[in-house]
Amino acid sequence: MRIHHLDGGGTRPFGGRLVDGRPGLFRRGDTVNHCVLIELETRLVLIDTGYGEQALLRPNEWVGRQVVRRTNPVLDKPIVRQVETLGFSRADVRDIVVTHLDLDHAGGLVDFPHATVHVHQAELAAFTETYGWRERFRYRPVQLAHGPTWSVYAECDSSKDWFGFQSVEQVRGLSSELLIVPLAGHTRGHIGVAVRTARGWFLHAGDAYTHHGQMADPPRMPLLGRVFEQTMDTHRRQRAENQHRLRDLVREPDTPVNVFSAHCATEFARLCNAQSDGDA
């Protein structure tokens, strides 16, 4: 197994370096869009896809004019082009596990037409049904208009346990080294993806949290980031409970699990440096 940590482009809500160059409250690079490409013996697996290539070509249609204006996203890092730079074709990616279907995590599904997309049942239902303004803001029907091949996961057997997290299920068709870990709260069907490597487990926690300080004791986070996170939470109590469980996991000295979120630039840099040193 070989792991590649890829940045699909972060956001700069409430400001940042805007298109016209005016200064703002967030620096370019404050957030990333952390996707993971996994080389197995017979196939490539991708965890999340970023905004996708179409976001670069037609941003207002693909991401939404309102989202572009409010979050100031970085759209010039399509994951599919990074996969091709590594020497693969888009057809080589046969499985994609999405932590959730937000427009910045599922926008690149169309770039990998041969892939089976693994998703939680509650997340797919939230995309196809209308629950409220959060869902209307975060989901883009145009991104799934191509009709992905779905592999859908309902609530799993609660007796299955992974370091205290229950209802865990193996990703279908793949090895026992890839697990789906329910982490609802940010969205209704949000999941984490656990991967066992030669050096232990890592957990891509998606948007279960967004800043490395949230895993500290006591937890901390920049004010504007906290406001944005809470604004987008579908079930804040569930998210808070899962963050508490993740902190317990991180602080346990004997637990061989490396936990990271989808948008923390500090965690992304640390893992990329470890990857360069051959330790990822």
Side-chain angles (χ1 to χ4, degrees), residues 30-47:
D30 271 352
T31 68
V32 297
N33 199 327
H34 195 157
C35 303
V36 178
L37 182 69
I38 304 170
E39 293 185 50
L40 299 178
E41 289 185 5
T42 59
R43 63 213 301 164
L44 297 180
V45 181
L46 187 61
I47 302 175

Side-chain angles (χ1 to χ4, degrees), residues 46-112:
L46 187 61
I47 302 175
D48 283 350
T49 68
Y51 292 102
E53 191 172 41
Q54 293 302 311
L56 178 62
L57 302 176
R58 42 181 177 145
N60 289 333
E61 178 185 358
W62 200 253
V63 179
R65 190 182 304 274
Q66 183 182 31
V67 174
V68 171
R69 185 176 67 252
R70 291 188 177 183
T71 69
N72 200 19
V74 179
L75 303 177
D76 58 355
K77 298 182 177 181
I79 290 297
V80 66
R81 298 189 185 182
Q82 297 181 53
V83 169
E84 291 170 341
T85 298
L86 290 169
F88 305 107
S89 75
R90 58 189 69 199
D92 291 330
V93 176
R94 303 310 299 256
D95 293 274
I96 300 174
V97 188
V98 284
T99 58
H100 57 303
L101 293 173
D102 273 4
L103 56 89
D104 57 330
H105 293 258
L109 291 179
V110 70
D111 299 333
F112 304 98

Side-chain angles (χ1 to χ4, degrees), residues 176-216:
S176 59
E177 297 168 327
L178 279 85
L179 303 175
I180 285 176
V181 182
L183 292 173
H186 177 64
T187 63
R188 299 174 186 274
H190 185 282
I191 64 167
V193 186
V195 181
R196 178 161 50 192
T197 72
R199 299 181 183 275
W201 288 92
F202 76 69
L203 175 66
H204 188 313
D207 284 9
Y209 71 99
T210 53
H211 185 268
H212 62 279
Q214 292 174 282
M215 294 295 103

Side-chain angles (χ1 to χ4, degrees), residues 111-210:
D111 299 333
F112 304 98
H114 301 284
T116 295
V117 182
H118 303 264
V119 65
H120 196 285
Q121 182 182 55
E123 186 67 12
L124 190 57
F127 189 100
T128 56
E129 301 175 21
T130 301
Y131 287 105
W133 70 266
R134 287 185 180 88
E135 283 76 14
R136 291 192 295 271
F137 180 84
R138 73 194 330 150
Y139 299 138
R140 297 291 294 174
V142 67
Q143 293 183 349
L144 301 188
H146 63 290
T149 299
W150 299 109
S151 181
V152 182
Y153 297 75
E155 285 300 329
C156 313
D157 183 353
S158 62
S159 66
K160 296 179 181 178
D161 181 274
W162 180 82
F163 296 107
F165 290 82
Q166 295 185 332
S167 299
V168 174
E169 187 169 343
Q170 179 179 328
V171 178
R172 298 187 191 111
L174 302 177
S175 68
S176 59
E177 297 168 327
L178 279 85
L179 303 175
I180 285 176
V181 182
L183 292 173
H186 177 64
T187 63
R188 299 174 186 274
H190 185 282
I191 64 167
V193 186
V195 181
R196 178 161 50 192
T197 72
R199 299 181 183 275
W201 288 92
F202 76 69
L203 175 66
H204 188 313
D207 284 9
Y209 71 99
T210 53

